[in-house]
Amino acid sequence: PPLDSCTINPYTVWPASHHKILPEDMPKPKASRRVLVIGGGCGGLQGAVTACDRGHQVILCERSDALGGILRFTDHTEHKIDIRHFKDLLIREVRKRPIDIRLNCEVTPEMIREIQPDAVILATGSDDLILPIKGIAHAVTAMDAYASDFSALGKSTIVLGGGLVGCEAAADYIDRGIETTIVEMQECLMPECVGLYRTAVHDFLDQHGCRYEVNAKVIEVGKDYVIAEQNGTSITLHADSVVNAMGRRPHPFDDLQAAIHVPVWEIGDCIGARQIGDAVREAWTAAMEIV
């Protein structure tokens, strides 16, 4: 069921292997600090909430026009409704607090010097991975496909990348009646996953007629075609669109780091690929360490 306003407990998403640091284990703030949170994804939202609850003055900057970060894709799929509710809960918790929220705000070194924060939480997230493949610019990114509510895909599409992200995206496209083909360079789909969830996603794709080509290295991309090398043979696939779901990379923030001369905490995808629970835990811990 939808989550109502409540106290956020980061322990509910902690991996069991982590030692649980309790609030009483953390030092009390010595003063109210000006805390700049850069990034409005789940990590940035949790960091802003916890820092505010600790009595700090929080400024939350998000470069896009809405909070939620990469989790905004859940607004367009019923397969991730629980994550959507969690994202919406974090946004509600931020908005009911005296947090200075700045949307469409790309933080610059000059802005950092103007704000003069006492502490910074870097939650800048990640960007789509664009590999040096001929014509790759013709591909729609997986996030842009969601943002267009799938209208950019036409009646058929080719998904580049058969990892978990690509396969989950393919499942959403199939749900919308879009004929979908996955191209994966390794010998199987979702090679990074094990267990029942991988089996469930794979079964869904099989049962709904998803085509997939494995051991296939993409050589060229066009607006409506993909050329790949598969087992030493060139294959050409055609569709109305092509989706790049080959992965993500940390958003660069070296210029910001150079302008920060106060304590800074890097959290979430800006360090490397993170699970939601990891990002939330890192954000909570960072905010609790600001004294």
Side-chain angles (χ1 to χ4, degrees), residues 6 28 38 50 57 73-74 84 86 92-93 95 129 136 152 154 164 194 211 215 217 219 234 238 279:
C6 63
K28 301 291 184 183
I38 306 177
T50 304
Q57 308 157 52
F73 87 91
T74 60
R84 184 199 312 167
F86 181 63
R92 288 200 303 272
E93 292 294 321
R95 291 197 177 281
L129 177 64
I136 191 65
L164 182 60
V194 296
R211 175 184 176 187
N215 288 318
K217 181 180 179 181
I219 303 299
S234 177
H238 294 275

Side-chain angles (χ1 to χ4, degrees), residues 52-123:
C52 183
D53 288 350
R54 297 265 284 172
H56 299 304
Q57 308 157 52
V58 180
I59 300 172
L60 173 61
C61 296
E62 164 56 39
R63 57 180 168 158
S64 73
D65 60 357
L67 299 174
I70 196 172
L71 297 187
R72 290 170 61 188
F73 87 91
T74 60
D75 293 336
H76 305 278
T77 172
E78 295 307 306
H79 292 161
K80 299 286 185 180
I81 193 168
D82 53 341
I83 297 177
R84 184 199 312 167
H85 289 329
F86 181 63
K87 180 259 296 178
D88 292 344
L89 168 65
L90 286 171
I91 293 172
R92 288 200 303 272
E93 292 294 321
V94 163
R95 291 197 177 281
K96 77 180 188 181
R97 288 167 169 76
I99 294 173
D100 182 358
I101 302 170
R102 303 182 184 183
L103 300 178
N104 296 307
C105 181
E106 182 79 42
V107 175
T108 63
E110 293 73 25
M111 185 181 300
I112 292 173
R113 287 190 283 269
E114 178 184 338
I115 293 174
Q116 296 184 337
D118 300 309
V120 175
I121 297 177
L122 271 173

Side-chain angles (χ1 to χ4, degrees), residues 172-248:
D172 286 326
Y173 306 159
I174 291 169
D175 255 0
R176 296 298 183 98
I178 300 169
E179 183 180 333
T180 304
T181 301
I182 301 172
V183 180
E184 167 58 40
M185 68 181 299
Q186 298 195 54
E187 63 183 2
C188 65
L189 299 183
M190 297 170 282
E192 77 276 30
C193 300
V194 296
L196 290 177
Y197 186 69
R198 178 182 184 276
T199 301
V201 174
H202 212 308
D203 286 350
F204 180 91
L205 297 177
D206 288 338
Q207 292 164 9
H208 290 79
C210 181
R211 175 184 176 187
Y212 46 89
E213 301 287 349
V214 296
N215 288 318
K217 181 180 179 181
V218 177
I219 303 299
E220 183 179 339
V221 177
K223 290 183 179 180
D224 58 359
Y225 71 88
V226 170
I227 300 175
E229 183 180 299
Q230 185 181 53
N231 302 320
T233 302
S234 177
I235 62 172
T236 301
L237 307 171
H238 294 275
D240 292 338
S241 61
V242 180
V243 176
N244 178 8
M246 292 183 171
R248 300 184 68 81

